[in-house]
C-alpha cells in the first residue's frame, strides 16, 4: 500500500480487529446508528453533557471562497468515556490512544455504501481505525486517495488539509475516529 505524509499507519499501535468488530456488533445492539446523528456513535463526552454536536469545518463554496459550516466545538472538553463503553474493548483502545495523544471527540462513524462527504477541512487532525471497510472506500487528503484496510492499525490523517471520504463499495464503511489535539 502506498501512503504519504498526510495519510499513513502509525508505527507501534495496533489492535485486534476481530475483537473490535465483535465489540462493534455488540454495542450496536444497545447503541445503534440512529437519531439526529444517525451515522455516529459517540464514545466520549463532555463530563455531565450527553450532547455531541457536529464540529466546525470549512468547505470551498461554488464561488471558490472558503465557507464555514457548523460552530466551534471545544474538543479538549471531551475527556470522559461514556460509562456504557468502559467494560468494552473500546476502553482499551481509548486508553492506548490517550497515552499517545491528547484527544478530543472519539466516535464510531459510518458511511453508507455509495456515499461521500463534502471536500472540507477541519481544525484538528484525526486518527482512524477502520473497523468495517471495502475496496471501494477511499480516504482522500489533498487529492491523494487510499483505501485504509480494516487490519487493526491506527492511521494518521491530516484533516487540516482539504479531505473527503468516499464509499464506492456495496457495503458500509465504519471507522473509529479520534480527534488529535496534540501528541504527548
Amino acid at each position: 500500500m502506498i501512503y504519504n505524509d498526510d495519510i499513513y499507519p502509525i508505527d507501534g499501535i495496533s489492535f485486534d480487529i476481530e475483537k473490535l468488530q465483535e465489540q462493534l456488533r455488540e454495542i450496536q445492539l444497545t447503541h445503534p446508528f440512529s437519531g439526529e446523528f444517525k451515522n455516529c456513535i459517540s464514545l466520549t463526552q463532555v463530563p455531565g453533557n450527553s450532547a455531541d454536536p457536529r464540529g466546525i469545518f470549512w468547505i470551498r463554496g461554488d464561488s471558490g471562497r472558503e465557507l464555514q459550516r457548523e460552530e466551534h466545538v471545544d474538543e479538549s472538553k471531551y475527556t470522559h468515556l461514556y460509562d456504557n463503553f468502559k467494560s468494552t474493548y473500546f476502553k482499551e483502545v481509548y486508553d492506548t490512544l490517550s497515552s499517545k495523544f491528547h484527544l478530543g471527540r472519539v466516535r464510531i462513524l459510518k458511511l453508507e455504501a455509495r456515499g461521500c462527504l463534502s471536500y472540507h477541512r477541519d481544525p484538528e487532525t484525526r486518527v482512524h481505525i477502520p473497523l468495517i471497510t471495502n475496496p471501494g472506500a477511499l480516504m482522500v487528503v489533498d487529492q491523494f486517495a487510499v483505501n485504509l484496510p480494516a487490519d487493526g492499525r491506527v492511521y494518521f490523517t491530516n484533516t487540516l488539509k482539504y479531505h473527503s471520504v468516499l464509499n464506492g463499495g456495496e457495503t458500509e464503511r465504519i471507522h473509529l475516529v479520534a480527534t488529535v489535539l496534540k501528541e504527548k
Side-chain angles (χ1 to χ4, degrees):
M1 190 88 37
I2 297 173
Y3 301 102
N4 69 10
D5 290 341
D6 294 321
I7 307 174
Y8 57 86
I10 299 172
D11 291 333
I13 311 174
S14 65
F15 300 97
D16 182 328
I17 190 60
E18 291 177 7
K19 276 177 86 172
L20 285 169
Q21 291 169 341
E22 176 60 29
Q23 286 286 246
L24 176 63
R25 285 188 290 275
E26 286 180 22
I27 69 166
Q28 283 183 287
L29 297 174
T30 55
H31 298 82
F33 290 102
S34 64
E36 182 181 357
F37 303 109
K38 66 181 185 222
N39 294 324
C40 173
I41 298 172
S42 295
L43 299 181
T44 57
Q45 71 182 110
V46 174
N49 184 352
S50 63
D52 184 19
R54 290 173 45 136
I56 192 172
F57 63 96
W58 296 269
I59 66 165
R60 292 230 179 262
D62 291 341
S63 68
R65 287 191 344 224
E66 190 169 72
L67 304 170
Q68 177 182 319
R69 296 290 187 248
E70 304 297 337
E71 298 299 320
H72 173 75
V73 170
D74 187 350
E75 297 272 352
S76 68
K77 291 184 177 181
Y78 285 79
T79 59
H80 182 77
L81 188 70
Y82 276 104
D83 289 341
N84 357 14
F85 301 119
K86 287 184 177 175
S87 63
T88 71
Y89 188 49
F90 291 115
K91 174 152 182 8
E92 183 176 326
V93 171
Y94 177 77
D95 289 346
T96 300
L97 292 177
S98 293
S99 74
K100 308 274 186 200
F101 307 103
H102 292 281
L103 298 177
R105 292 179 293 166
V106 179
R107 301 167 289 166
I108 298 172
L109 300 175
K110 178 175 76 168
L111 183 61
E112 297 289 347
R114 296 174 302 283
C116 73
L117 296 182
S118 65
Y119 196 55
H120 69 284
R121 69 177 182 86
D122 298 317
E124 309 90 2
T125 60
R126 309 275 194 265
V127 292
H128 285 243
I129 303 172
L131 304 176
I132 306 290
T133 192
N134 64 71
L138 299 174
M139 183 75 197
V140 179
V141 176
D142 199 23
Q143 300 180 22
F144 174 81
V146 66
N147 174 269
L148 301 179
D151 59 7
R153 290 190 290 178
V154 179
Y155 294 87
F156 170 83
T157 58
N158 185 357
T159 51
L160 296 169
K161 292 185 175 182
Y162 272 87
H163 65 281
S164 183
V165 61
L166 62 97
N167 183 2
E170 294 292 316
T171 57
E172 61 195 15
R173 168 208 183 260
I174 302 175
H175 282 201
L176 186 148
V177 179
T179 299
V180 174
L181 303 175
K182 65 181 180 177
E183 286 191 49
K184 288 189 172 178

